[in-house]
Amino acid sequence: MFVVMLKSFIIFLVVFFVIRLMGKRQIGEMQPFELVITLIISEVACIPMNDPYIPLYYGLIPIITLAMLHIVLSFISRKSVKARKILSGSSVIVIDKSGIVYDNLQKMNMNMADLIEAVRSAGYVDFSEIAYAIFETNGQLCVVEKEQQEEDENGDAQPTLLPLELVVDGKINQKNLELSGTKQTDITDVLSEHGVKLEDLLYCDVRQDGNAYFSPKHKKAFCSKLAITGGGNW
């Protein structure tokens, strides 16, 4: 009995330490590879605890191995946009300014009942109130409301704008760059004016009106204007 208690205590400490290394995320906020590692750890940890005759290292070695795997995969996903897309996938827009994007629903293997349930869970019952709805890589639904904005000089209501990610962790998103019609030189020119290198840029996005947001690593965030030649079709 004492052996089982001691093994359980040791495994608890190891699993607790590993989970702390993985960061403060809830299950529903984990990326796919993080969720898989967590589920496997929970199964492996039970093996030596349930049987006093199974050596403790049968559980500890797999747990430590999975912890190291998580660290390596997290590092790779931070350094490589392609690796991050493979490991975590990409955000998917299911509702845009034209309405529900049926093709994207099919890509996610979802039907309308699934979308309705997700929208209601996010606190919305009226699709007409939604400008954009985006499924993030962790499965969470992000909803952008249609804002009641002031009318422009022609009396037309201003459209709701959706930021398009151009740079994340110093890496250019070429797909979004092409979609917006923005040139990489436009971004680097703005950065040069503020004394920031591309590799030191944490995040940059642009809206359909050309307004862009820049957030460097060690400097204050700032806004600027970028040329949009893609017509703002996102």
Side-chain angles (χ1 to χ4, degrees):
M1 180 65 70
F2 175 76
V3 173
V4 175
M5 292 176 61
L6 181 60
K7 289 166 67 175
S8 300
F9 178 71
I10 294 174
I11 291 175
F12 166 78
L13 291 179
V14 174
V15 174
F16 176 77
F17 178 72
V18 169
I19 296 300
R20 286 296 302 271
L21 282 178
M22 293 177 65
K24 296 182 178 180
R25 295 193 188 205
Q26 299 178 3
I27 294 297
E29 297 176 345
M30 290 183 175
Q31 299 297 336
F33 77 91
E34 294 176 323
L35 180 59
V36 171
I37 290 176
T38 302
L39 293 176
I40 296 177
I41 287 177
S42 65
E43 291 294 326
V44 170
C46 295
I47 295 176
M49 285 194 300
N50 293 334
D51 192 337
Y53 298 102
I54 297 179
L56 182 61
Y57 64 83
Y58 273 44
L60 293 182
I61 293 178
I63 291 174
I64 295 174
T65 302
L66 290 169
M68 296 302 297
L69 177 62
H70 175 268
I71 293 174
V72 171
L73 292 178
S74 297
F75 176 79
I76 293 174
S77 65
R78 288 198 303 269
K79 296 298 181 179
S80 172
V81 175
K82 291 184 178 179
R84 182 162 56 243
K85 186 175 182 179
I86 293 173
L87 291 171
S88 303
S90 303
S91 300
V92 179
I93 297 178
V94 290
I95 299 177
D96 61 14
K97 57 187 179 183
S98 299
I100 298 171
V101 185
Y102 177 69
D103 291 339
N104 287 348
L105 283 180
Q106 286 188 313
K107 290 179 182 178
M108 297 183 64
N109 196 26
M110 294 181 62
N111 54 40
M112 273 305 302
D114 297 327
L115 180 60
I116 292 172
E117 181 179 350
V119 169
R120 287 177 178 172
S121 298
Y124 298 87
V125 294
D126 189 349
F127 278 81
S128 65
E129 297 177 353
I130 300 174
Y132 294 93
I134 308 166
F135 271 105
E136 305 294 353
T137 55
N138 58 13
Q140 297 289 328
L141 181 67
C142 173
V143 176
V144 180
E145 294 184 15
K146 290 182 179 178
E147 299 179 357
Q148 298 297 327
Q149 299 175 322
E150 295 182 359
E151 296 182 347
D152 60 16
E153 57 184 9
N154 297 322
D156 298 324
Q158 296 295 317
T160 301
L161 303 178
L162 179 69
L164 186 67
E165 298 173 2
L166 297 181
V167 180
V168 177
D169 287 329
K171 305 294 184 181
I172 294 284
N173 188 319
Q174 293 295 339
K175 181 179 179 181
N176 288 350
L177 201 69
E178 295 174 2
L179 180 61
S180 65
T182 305
K183 297 180 180 179
Q184 182 171 337
T185 53
D186 295 337
I187 297 176
T188 53
D189 288 345
V190 173
L191 294 178
S192 297
E193 294 176 1
H194 291 79
V196 178
K197 296 181 180 180
L198 180 60
E199 56 267 26
D200 293 328
L201 184 62
L202 278 177
Y203 178 80
C204 169
D205 63 32
V206 67
R207 291 146 188 80
Q208 288 93 334
D209 59 358
N211 286 318
Y213 172 83
F214 296 80
S215 183
K217 288 182 179 178
H218 306 295
K219 292 187 177 182
K220 186 177 180 180
F222 58 89
C223 295
S224 186
K225 197 82 172 180
L226 293 176
I228 300 296
T229 59
N233 296 320
W234 70 84

